[in-house]
Amino acid sequence: MKNVVITGSTRGIGLAMAQAFWQAGCRVTLSGRGGELPQAAREAFVSDPDRVLYVSCDVRDKVSLKNLWTVSRDRWGSVDIWINNAGQNTAYRPCWETGEPDTVAVIQTNLTGMIFGSQVAAEGMFQQGYGAIYSMEGLGSNNMIQPKTILYGTSKHALTYFMKGLARELAGTGVIAGRLSPGMMLTDFITKTPDGEPAAVLKDASFRRVFNILADKPETVARFFIPKILANTRNDVQIAWLTPARAAWRFMTSFWRKNRLL
């Protein structure tokens, strides 16, 4: 039975992965900035709540991440898998129109928080002698540039570099590092602004067309990820859902994918 910690797991792909790990028989620690796990998320685990733990955590604060590790380890006895999933986006606008608070939030959450989380997990896993650290890639990881989202893309581009470097530093230690590449997903991350308002990008007809062709629900991606994560023993692995071949096939069959999600 694997023990898993996922940052930013109260909704979206983080929650979907937590549910999939739990369904696979794992013990899972969910986390978010709130004081408790939202009721809607808690209902997914009612049949066996003893294998679920919620720890409030702000990934921008390393002390908070250390507490997440300690509470999880004390509850489960060890942490086999740590996933840096917590993410932040900005409103759909040019970077020079993005205010300082939103700019700082993206960098501190997506980049600094991911680095802090990896540091905390690596230190703890060295003491165990084993473990796996994964971080969630996104737009920008593959060098794709999407105007009006370049702050987010910059953070994800840096994330990929860091995780490749971390894997090299971890070589031979018994701890491995990898990347999860989910592609496009239908979550609040896309449909809403950080303030909870409808995202302006939804009014972009070209974006909606491509999104309907390529995107999936987070549950679909999670069901793909979890068996591969549990089976993986390789360092510096990328587990990718929306591969170039899958994307090409979807464009070829795009006639049947109109308005499927948006």
Side-chain angles (χ1 to χ4, degrees), residues 4 69 74 145 151 154 209 216-217 232 237:
V4 184
W69 171 275
D74 291 350
I145 296 175
L151 293 173
T154 296
R209 175 181 175 274
D216 290 283
K217 294 181 179 180
N232 180 57
V237 69

Side-chain angles (χ1 to χ4, degrees), residues 155-175:
S155 70
K156 290 299 183 179
H157 186 83
L159 177 149
T160 297
Y161 176 91
F162 175 84
M163 290 304 295
K164 288 181 177 180
L166 177 63
R168 187 168 297 187
E169 291 186 346
L170 289 174
T173 67
V175 180

Side-chain angles (χ1 to χ4, degrees), residues 91-102:
Y92 186 64
R93 60 169 63 102
C95 69
W96 60 86
E97 294 180 5
T98 303
E100 181 176 346
D102 287 342

Side-chain angles (χ1 to χ4, degrees), residues 61-79:
D61 179 5
K62 195 170 185 179
V63 172
S64 186
L65 282 159
K66 287 181 176 179
N67 179 68
L68 174 62
W69 171 275
T70 300
V71 173
S72 300
R73 181 206 57 203
D74 291 350
R75 174 66 177 271
W76 308 130
S78 65
V79 175

Side-chain angles (χ1 to χ4, degrees), residues 16 59 67 70 78 100-101 124 129 131 148 156 159-160 172-173 177 186-187 191 201 210 213 215 220 235:
V59 299
N67 179 68
T70 300
S78 65
E100 181 176 346
K148 300 183 180 180
K156 290 299 183 179
L159 177 149
T160 297
T173 67
L186 181 64
T187 67
T191 61
V201 71
V210 172
I213 293 171
T220 301
N235 191 26

